[in-house]
Structure formats: C-alpha cells, structure tokens
Amino acid sequence: MAFFSIKADISEAQAALSGTSKSLASISRQTLGVIARGAVATVKKEIRSTTQKRTGELLRAYRYKVKKDGSEVNVFPKALKGEKSIFPKAMALSYGTNDGRIKPRGFVQKGNDYVEKGNYEPEIQKLIDKELAKYWN
C-alpha cells in the first residue's frame, strides 16, 4: 500500500512523563507525532534519492495524521488541490508495475523500516527531556 499505519509501544515515554500534568492521550499524540514526522522525512528522503526527475507533487503529498485518542498514526499521500488522486503515482513509483516499465523504488518500505527499527528513539528522548525541563526547571 502507498500508506502505512503506526502503532508503537510508548509506555516508557508515558512512564517518564507521568509526574507531569500532561494527559495520557496528549503524551501518546506527541510521541506518535514524533515517530510519524521521522517516517515522513525518511519517505521524502528516499523519494529524492531514488527518482531522477523532480517529483515535487509526490514530496508535498506525504502527510501523517494522529488519531485524537493517541492510539495510532497514519502516514499517507494526499492529493494536492486540483489533483484527482496521488495513489496511482505513489503505488507505481514505490512498488513498480507488473509489466516492468517502472522499477520499484521502495520509499514506503523505507519509512516502514524506520519505524520498525526504532530509529526514532533519540527524538523521543528529546521530547521527554523538553517536557521534563518545563516542569522541573
């Protein structure tokens, strides 16, 4: 698929911020937002490195949305105003075509790998340190 959904175990971040006045849903939304921003950045970096032509439409299309309850975040391409759909382009470029005319570039998989490998841990630690500094300084 041209989009993916992220569910992460954020219990460590919640435990670290439990002494603050932040709600559990707020902590979850912020943590998942940090993870999604990194995934979108990874997807965009991979799009730039694997395409020979300019793909500004595809770069501007990738976004993320965190559920209000903080349980999940979705990373997806959204068509710009005036465009019908970005999904065919995103699918063809990321996964290739059956006839072999377009080779798969795998930028969606790189974003998914970013999440699965836990490369977002330093950003989560920065978030925790920033929030704790607000309350303890």
Side-chain angles (χ1 to χ4, degrees):
M1 300 208 93
F3 72 95
F4 55 96
S5 180
I6 302 169
K7 289 187 180 182
D9 180 22
I10 56 173
S11 58
E12 291 177 23
Q14 290 171 342
L17 295 174
S18 64
T20 66
S21 63
K22 295 193 78 63
S23 70
L24 191 62
S26 175
I27 294 169
S28 298
R29 282 192 308 270
Q30 278 189 315
T31 307
L32 287 176
V34 167
I35 296 169
R37 275 192 297 278
V40 168
T42 303
V43 167
K44 289 181 178 186
K45 178 181 159 193
E46 195 64 26
I47 289 170
R48 283 186 200 99
S49 69
T50 59
T51 55
Q52 296 171 353
K53 295 182 180 181
R54 296 182 185 262
T55 58
E57 178 188 17
L58 193 57
L59 283 172
R60 290 188 310 266
Y62 268 91
R63 305 170 194 270
Y64 67 92
K65 183 155 180 117
V66 181
K67 284 188 175 181
K68 285 189 179 192
D69 63 355
S71 64
E72 182 179 11
V73 64
N74 294 312
V75 177
F76 58 94
K78 181 178 179 186
L80 303 173
K81 289 184 178 180
E83 298 293 324
K84 292 182 181 176
S85 178
I86 192 75
F87 280 107
K89 182 177 185 176
M91 291 290 290
L93 289 176
S94 186
Y95 297 102
T97 56
N98 290 338
D99 60 6
R101 292 180 61 208
I102 299 175
K103 294 181 180 179
R105 295 186 174 98
F107 51 83
V108 173
Q109 293 85 349
K110 292 290 185 179
N112 202 15
D113 289 346
Y114 169 84
V115 174
E116 288 178 4
K117 291 180 181 176
N119 295 341
Y120 51 83
E121 292 297 329
E123 288 85 13
I124 298 295
Q125 190 59 46
K126 278 188 212 175
L127 171 72
I128 292 170
D129 293 341
K130 181 179 145 188
E131 289 297 322
L132 289 176
K134 285 181 188 177
Y135 293 101
W136 302 114
N137 287 342

